[in-house]
Amino acid sequence: MATETAAPPARDDERLMPLVAVLVWIVILIPTAVGVYQQHYSLGWTVLGYLSLVAFFAGFYYVFAQARSARRRDEPLPCRIRRFGFLALCLLGALVVGFAGESGVVVWFALSQVSLMVMPRHKAWSSIGSICLAVLFVPWSLGLDWQVSVWFVVAILGSSWATDAIFRLRETNLHLTRAQEQIASMAVEQERLRFARDLHDVVGHSLTAATVKAQLARRMAGADDDRVRTELREVEELLREALRDVRGTVAGYRDVTLTSELVRAATVLEAAGIAAELPGAVDHVPAARRELFGWVLREAVTNVVRHSRAAHARVTVTSGAIEVWNDGADGTRPGPASSGLVGLRERVEAAGGTLRAGPSGDGGWTVTAKMVP
């Protein structure tokens, strides 16, 4: 079931931002409020002018707060804000300009900021361009003697560019943060899979060997008590070794070498009654590959003992490959997609090699790991 991602907790500076914005815009709109008074309207018209200014400021702050909250959660604006917020502020702004006269052009500066909050970037810049044209040509077309400087238009464009840059920076930071969270989550998942694979390899081999020896001891009970005691001692040692390996897995370190795995393979195959052909020396194998070949040998021998009815097994090792063959009957061994072989294939491929597990063509089964030259 999909889970809803909670918004990150707000920092202290983020909580203060709305209050700072209110104070800044109160200061910016003071000349507009003075302009309403200087028009020398009657008391009723003056009150109406101030009410329109208060309504514009309240609407501006509401849209600002909604847009900021949506951006912080990376969610789209509510439909009512996206469709009607800018239009309503334009109408209120026209009223303010009508009451305040030339001092009211600051409202158009505010509208340029609102457009960046509620519109897509290309539409916002189209609106900002229209606002700049209105600042320059509307007073002229109405025959008003307003001293609107070109520098005011430059201020609108400059502040809009800065606001747009801040928004893009915040979006980039948000995407980067989410990418980092995804990478961290994937790393945790990969480590979990690695740990499960290693634990399967370590415990599966040791417990399989202990099981085979315990079964052998049970069959020989009463017939050869000395052999039974020997096998039980080896079972005890295997279990102690499995415990050490589990602790080593938890600690992130295990000592797996090709030489030690050959010794273990000889012991386990003998206990399972499987004749084994094993190499006498592996000095020709590069040191960097001995641990990997040890893992291949461990998993392959475990599968021979656990899943086949083999009577004979053969291990062949070269400097660039290891092959484990057995003559077990078909239908009793794991397929190539078994959990142990999947983990082994990942391990071999990560080291730059390939792993093949399948019928050998002579009625047997072969597991082969080859390193790419």
Side-chain angles (χ1 to χ4, degrees), residues 4-324:
E4 187 174 315
T5 303
R11 303 190 305 268
D12 291 340
D13 57 343
E14 291 180 337
R15 296 190 183 98
L16 291 175
M17 186 177 293
L19 177 60
V20 172
V22 169
L23 295 177
V24 168
W25 280 101
I26 286 177
V27 173
I28 292 175
L29 292 174
I30 286 177
T32 303
V34 174
V36 174
Y37 176 77
Q38 290 176 341
Q39 296 301 313
H40 303 293
Y41 295 119
S42 64
L43 179 61
W45 284 105
T46 301
V47 171
L48 188 59
Y50 282 124
L51 287 178
S52 65
L53 180 59
V54 170
F56 175 83
F57 178 76
F60 174 81
Y61 178 75
Y62 176 75
V63 172
F64 170 81
Q66 291 291 320
R68 175 178 174 273
S69 178
R71 284 179 179 274
R72 184 170 176 270
R73 297 193 303 269
D74 195 26
E75 296 176 354
L77 273 173
C79 183
R80 65 183 186 278
I81 302 297
R82 190 171 59 254
R83 290 185 177 179
F84 305 113
F86 183 71
L87 178 60
L89 286 176
C90 285
L91 296 175
L92 290 172
L95 282 176
V96 172
V97 173
F99 281 108
E102 184 177 355
S103 301
V105 295
V106 177
V107 168
W108 289 339
F109 174 78
L111 290 175
S112 68
Q113 305 297 303
V114 172
S115 65
L116 288 168
M117 296 179 187
V118 301
M119 297 180 182
R121 185 168 288 117
H122 65 282
K123 292 184 178 180
W125 277 105
S126 298
S127 299
I128 292 170
S130 300
I131 291 171
C132 292
L133 292 175
V135 169
L136 290 174
F137 293 107
V138 168
W140 173 78
S141 64
L142 296 177
L144 300 175
D145 189 21
W146 288 2
Q147 302 299 317
V148 179
S149 172
V150 176
W151 290 107
F152 185 73
V153 175
V154 174
I156 291 178
L157 293 174
S159 62
S160 299
W161 177 85
T163 301
D164 187 34
I166 291 173
F167 286 164
R168 283 184 293 171
L169 180 61
R170 288 177 65 88
E171 290 175 0
T172 301
N173 289 339
L174 178 61
H175 294 158
L176 179 60
T177 299
R178 291 189 172 181
Q180 291 173 338
E181 291 174 352
Q182 291 178 353
I183 291 173
S185 177
M186 291 174 61
V188 171
E189 184 64 23
Q190 290 296 322
E191 179 61 20
R192 184 182 294 115
L193 292 175
R194 184 199 68 80
F195 181 81
R197 180 193 66 196
D198 290 355
L199 196 61
H200 170 273
D201 293 344
V202 169
V203 177
H205 172 82
S206 299
L207 294 184
T208 297
T211 301
V212 170
K213 287 186 169 294
Q215 292 172 346
L216 178 61
R218 177 174 55 81
R219 290 195 301 268
M220 300 188 67
D224 189 347
D225 290 342
D226 291 336
R227 179 67 182 275
V228 170
R229 283 191 290 271
T230 299
E231 295 296 333
L232 290 178
R233 279 196 300 269
E234 293 183 1
V235 168
E236 180 182 2
E237 180 58 31
L238 283 170
L239 294 178
R240 292 182 184 276
E241 182 181 348
L243 180 59
R244 288 195 300 270
D245 285 342
V246 170
R247 289 171 177 170
T249 302
V250 174
Y253 174 79
R254 294 160 316 285
D255 185 15
V256 176
T257 64
L258 180 58
T259 302
S260 63
E261 291 305 320
L262 284 171
V263 174
R264 293 179 182 178
T267 302
V268 172
L269 292 172
E270 180 186 0
I274 300 174
E277 293 182 31
L278 303 175
V282 291
D283 296 339
H284 58 287
V285 179
R289 297 176 179 174
R290 292 177 187 174
E291 180 180 356
L292 177 64
F293 285 3
W295 282 112
V296 174
L297 180 60
R298 170 178 285 199
E299 178 63 25
V301 169
T302 298
N303 286 339
V304 170
V305 174
R306 182 184 296 172
H307 300 291
S308 75
R309 300 191 186 98
H312 186 251
R314 180 177 64 248
V315 177
T316 305
V317 180
T318 65
S319 61
I322 180 172
E323 179 184 275
V324 181

